[in-house]
Amino acid sequence: MQKNRQRDRSYQNVKKVIACVLSFIFTIIAIAVPAHADEKQVETTPSRLPLSKLEETIDAYVASYEKYTAAVSVVAIKDGETIVNKAYGYADIENQRKADTSTVFEWASISKLLVYTSVMQLVEQGKLDLETDIQEYLPEGFFKKLKYDEPITLLNLMHHNAGWEDQTPTEVYYYDENENVDLGETLRKNEPKQIYKPNSVVGYSNFGVGLGGYIVELVSGQPYYEYVNQHIFEPLHMNDTTVHPTGQDRPDIVQRRNEVEGYTKELKRIPENRVFVTFYPTGAAIGTAEDLGKFLAALMPVDDSHVLFAKRDTLDEMLSTSLYYDETSIPRFAHGFVEMEYGVPTLLHEGNLKGFSSKVVFDPASKFGMVVMTNIAFEEIYYYGLISKIFGNSTYVNSVTSEGGYFQSARRPAARFTDLFRQLDITKFSKAELSSLYNVVEHNGVVEKISYTPYMDYLPVSKWKVNLIVISFIPVALAIIFSLGALIGYLIRMLLNKLHKRGNHLTDFDKYHLAIIVAGALLPLNLLILHTRLPNYPAHSSIRINLMFNLLYVVLAVAYLGLLMYKLRKSSYSKKQKVMYIMSGISAFILAVFVVGWHLYV
């Protein structure tokens, strides 16, 4: 009996122990399951915005900026799925044509991501090597203007640090869709000067990326656009996008593109907003935001699927850091993709074309990304504002001892007429401003280079040079004032002679004198016209007459100076006449040196 009681007590104790263990397990499960469910419910964007409220947040953001909006298309991707695909506003404000998810936008420079992807595909196949001198892939003697012996590699093209000067807008764009633009011949014809040693300075280069597309063309044996169609667009079912130089392989997409107008930030329609890109792999893609979202999703596969490459390792390599900011461990480029710290580390690329702005940003770790496309030139509300709202703010802090100084973009046309206008764009940065830039390279209190944007470096300009540039404009201004004054004097004298019925007797040399002062008075007007037209991406053919006038002025000035020296020795003039002729000669010399020195004729 006692043994039975002991057995019962033991049994009861075991039951209690089992109950306690089960209770503990159930408690853990009860806690874990709701927590897990809550975690899913509060899954967020990088800025900690709940994904469940993402569409609502975007709707509200667009509504708050409606009066500044033409058309904007937004796509959000999470874990390979499209969670937002919406369009807002008007593709054509004047005709009240609303934008929708089938609206076609310009990719602009986001097109460059297709070049980088194509290159990496061929690297995977062993047909290209990122660190081989690209001259091994190009026809013999392709380059004519290289200054340095250091090799240029595909990585240099991806990093924009091959050292080339920038092209003028007139060389990058054209307007005639029937113009036969052969990529290789165009690159040869428009080869820029190499002004920096490779790997030393980042200066955004459309030429360099266009060259990368040409190498894809040569190695694959296909026109670049056909290669992209076959190896990127078709596998990803991107049926509403073309990267043909003028879109002629997809007339249906071109027709939809032509139904969209481009606007300024003030929502003024930009005339002739359909431009074609000379080095077309750098910016010719047009298509829907939804299609760009498909490309974005392929960059963030959720499993071992990797449509763009045969091996997942190749995708991982492409999205890994390949260039850091100088003397830091801060990532700058991942094989052409820009690396930027928002709330989390992201990869991105931006695009701006005449009347269009676009941006793609993604976080490979959380597999979240966004596409924003607008038909507004140099747009900022969505391009920067909406992206920051979803991804968080980007902040950089540098420890700077320098008090600041003057800086100039490394992306400049050093031997072309636009160099004058770039020289006038020298920027002064204070110590506080320097500390907030992406990166500052400083030694012993002297700033050697700053990275104002990921795409380009800014180099210091001495105060002496800044003052010299300013001072150099003084004689030019005096020469122009003299020419204008002399011309007005001539006109007044002719008018008085006519009123008093006196004859206007001009000697042969007086006619040359009048021609040079008229040309000198017209020169600043011609330069002003050039300057005001540049933001509109004029075709080179449309400004050729302006450049030819500048060259003609130089020829006329040389001829006048030669004739002046001859006439002063052979003919007798009054002291007043000699002073006027000589002063006009000095003015012509100053203006001619100005034109030649700033390459205002090429």
Side-chain angles (χ1 to χ4, degrees):
M1 187 82 170
Q2 189 174 356
K3 286 183 179 180
N4 288 338
R5 284 199 207 95
Q6 289 176 347
R7 191 182 302 114
D8 289 342
R9 279 198 297 269
S10 297
Y11 178 69
Q12 293 297 327
N13 290 337
V14 169
K15 284 179 65 178
K16 287 180 180 178
V17 169
I18 292 173
C20 288
V21 170
L22 290 175
S23 175
F24 177 76
I25 292 173
F26 289 144
T27 300
I28 294 297
I29 293 174
I31 293 172
V33 170
H36 183 64
D38 288 342
E39 185 180 325
K40 284 192 173 181
Q41 289 175 4
V42 296
E43 200 167 18
T44 65
T45 70
S47 65
R48 305 304 178 202
L49 175 73
L51 286 182
S52 59
K53 295 185 177 180
L54 178 60
E55 184 174 344
E56 175 188 336
T57 300
I58 295 172
D59 288 346
Y61 186 90
V62 175
S64 66
Y65 289 102
E66 185 176 9
K67 65 180 180 180
Y68 305 108
T69 303
V72 58
S73 192
V74 181
V75 170
I77 305 292
K78 173 63 177 174
D79 294 330
E81 300 293 330
T82 301
I83 58 174
V84 175
N85 179 18
K86 298 190 75 172
Y88 308 84
Y90 291 91
D92 182 344
I93 296 175
E94 289 72 23
N95 293 305
Q96 292 292 285
R97 183 181 294 119
K98 288 190 174 183
D100 57 35
T101 56
S102 68
T103 298
V104 168
F105 294 87
E106 304 272 2
W107 281 34
S109 285
I110 292 179
S111 306
K112 292 177 173 65
L113 299 184
L114 301 173
V115 175
Y116 307 142
T117 303
S118 301
V119 166
M120 293 303 295
Q121 287 176 339
L122 295 172
V123 167
E124 181 180 66
Q125 297 168 30
K127 296 179 181 179
L128 289 175
D129 182 83
L130 293 177
E131 299 188 18
T132 294
D133 191 331
I134 60 174
Q135 294 194 70
E136 292 193 20
Y137 304 119
L138 296 168
E140 187 176 351
F142 186 85
F143 294 121
K144 304 296 183 186
K145 299 180 181 180
L146 293 184
K147 181 179 179 181
Y148 299 97
D149 295 329
E150 283 80 356
I152 297 172
T153 67
L154 285 165
L155 279 175
N156 290 138
L157 304 186
M158 292 173 165
H159 299 157
H160 300 279
N161 63 359
W164 284 302
E165 67 171 334
D166 194 25
Q167 266 91 14
T168 68
T170 64
E171 295 170 291
V172 178
Y173 307 105
Y174 65 100
Y175 288 83
D176 185 1
E177 63 180 329
N178 297 314
E179 186 174 333
N180 184 20
V181 179
D182 176 79
L183 183 56
E185 185 57 34
T186 299
L187 289 163
R188 281 193 191 92
K189 180 181 176 182
N190 293 282
E191 180 189 353
K193 284 187 176 182
Q194 189 183 37
I195 59 176
Y196 307 111
K197 187 178 291 187
N199 296 305
S200 64
V201 174
V202 172
Y204 195 76
S205 175
N206 286 300
F207 176 86
V209 181
L211 198 59
Y214 181 51
I215 290 171
V216 169
E217 194 169 276
L218 291 174
V219 173
S220 68
Q222 296 177 274
Y224 172 77
Y225 69 89
E226 285 187 4
Y227 178 91
V228 173
N229 284 342
Q230 182 178 341
H231 295 92
I232 298 179
F233 292 165
E234 290 177 12
L236 297 180
H237 306 291
M238 295 172 64
N239 302 319
D240 293 307
T241 304
T242 174
V243 74
H244 185 282
T246 59
Q248 291 177 3
D249 64 334
R250 292 295 307 274
D252 56 322
I253 296 177
V254 172
Q255 181 179 350
R256 285 157 60 188
R257 159 61 188 91
N258 291 338
E259 294 173 352
V260 183
E261 295 291 352
Y263 297 91
T264 67
K265 287 187 282 189
E266 294 75 30
L267 299 188
K268 294 181 179 178
R269 180 182 170 277
I270 299 174
E272 292 187 288
N273 55 69
R274 178 71 168 116
V275 297
F276 306 107
V277 182
T278 307
F279 315 125
Y280 80 89
T282 70
I286 58 174
T288 62
E290 182 177 4
D291 258 15
L292 184 51
K294 294 176 182 177
F295 177 70
L296 174 58
L299 299 175
M300 304 182 294
V302 294
D303 48 34
D304 290 333
S305 63
H306 32 77
V307 179
L308 292 173
F309 301 100
K311 296 179 290 187
R312 176 63 181 267
D313 289 348
T314 308
L315 173 62
D316 293 339
E317 180 185 0
M318 182 173 74
L319 301 184
S320 66
T321 302
S322 54
L323 183 70
Y324 294 87
Y325 285 101
D326 291 356
E327 303 180 5
T328 74
S329 58
I330 302 173
R332 185 168 189 169
F333 283 114
H335 300 85
F337 291 74
V338 173
E339 299 200 57
M340 184 175 291
E341 186 82 22
Y342 282 97
V344 295
T346 67
L347 298 174
L348 62 84
H349 210 287
E350 303 166 333
N352 284 286
L353 204 56
K354 189 175 183 179
F356 290 83
S357 302
S358 54
K359 193 165 188 172
V360 57
V361 188
F362 62 105
D363 169 25
S366 67
K367 295 179 173 41
F368 175 81
M370 283 187 64
V371 172
V372 174
M373 307 187 85
T374 75
N375 59 341
I376 299 178
F378 300 101
E379 198 279 329
E380 295 179 351
I381 291 171
Y382 301 103
Y383 195 88
Y384 295 113
L386 179 59
I387 292 298
S388 294
K389 189 171 186 65
I390 305 303
F391 282 87
N393 292 318
S394 175
T395 58
Y396 289 82
V397 178
N398 296 283
S399 177
V400 179
T401 60
S402 169
E403 292 304 317
Y406 295 94
F407 295 86
Q408 181 181 47
S409 171
R411 184 188 182 185
R412 66 184 188 90
R416 287 166 164 78
F417 74 91
T418 50
D419 191 31
L420 168 65
F421 308 120
R422 285 293 176 90
Q423 291 287 356
L424 299 177
D425 196 29
I426 292 174
T427 305
K428 186 177 182 180
F429 289 97
S430 66
K431 181 177 181 178
E433 289 170 329
L434 288 177
S435 66
S436 65
L437 300 181
Y438 291 98
N439 189 50
V440 178
V441 178
E442 183 184 38
H443 292 127
N444 300 320
V446 177
V447 177
E448 298 179 359
K449 184 195 302 184
I450 64 175
S451 299
Y452 185 49
T453 76
Y455 302 102
M456 69 191 80
D457 293 329
Y458 275 62
L459 303 177
V461 180
S462 67
K463 192 172 182 179
W464 177 84
K465 182 179 179 181
V466 173
N467 291 335
L468 185 62
I469 292 173
V470 173
I471 292 171
S472 70
F473 279 93
I474 294 175
V476 173
L478 292 175
I480 292 171
I481 291 170
F482 175 83
S483 297
L484 286 170
L487 177 59
I488 293 171
Y490 258 115
L491 295 175
I492 291 174
R493 189 160 59 252
M494 290 173 64
L495 181 61
L496 290 175
N497 287 338
K498 187 174 182 180
L499 290 173
H500 293 90
K501 298 182 180 180
R502 295 194 296 261
N504 288 303
H505 300 293
L506 294 177
T507 66
D508 288 339
F509 190 67
D510 282 335
K511 294 176 183 177
Y512 290 116
H513 183 224
L514 180 59
I516 197 67
I517 62 175
V518 169
L522 291 176
L523 182 64
L525 177 61
N526 188 52
L527 294 177
L528 180 62
I529 292 171
L530 269 176
H531 181 57
T532 54
R533 292 195 63 195
L534 285 178
N536 295 319
Y537 306 109
H540 192 271
S541 57
S542 70
I543 64 165
R544 190 174 293 127
I545 188 171
N546 303 88
L547 299 177
M548 287 182 66
F549 175 85
N550 293 342
L551 182 59
L552 179 63
Y553 180 84
V554 174
V555 173
L556 185 61
V558 171
Y560 177 82
L561 289 169
L563 189 59
L564 175 63
M565 288 187 286
Y566 175 80
K567 287 290 187 179
L568 288 179
R569 287 202 309 267
K570 297 291 184 179
S571 304
S572 59
Y573 297 104
S574 67
K575 188 175 181 180
K576 182 178 178 181
Q577 285 178 312
K578 287 182 179 180
V579 169
M580 284 296 296
Y581 295 157
I582 292 172
M583 288 294 293
S584 295
I586 294 172
S587 297
F589 175 77
I590 291 171
L591 294 177
V593 169
F594 179 74
V595 169
V596 173
W598 289 108
H599 311 282
L600 292 169
Y601 54 94
V602 290

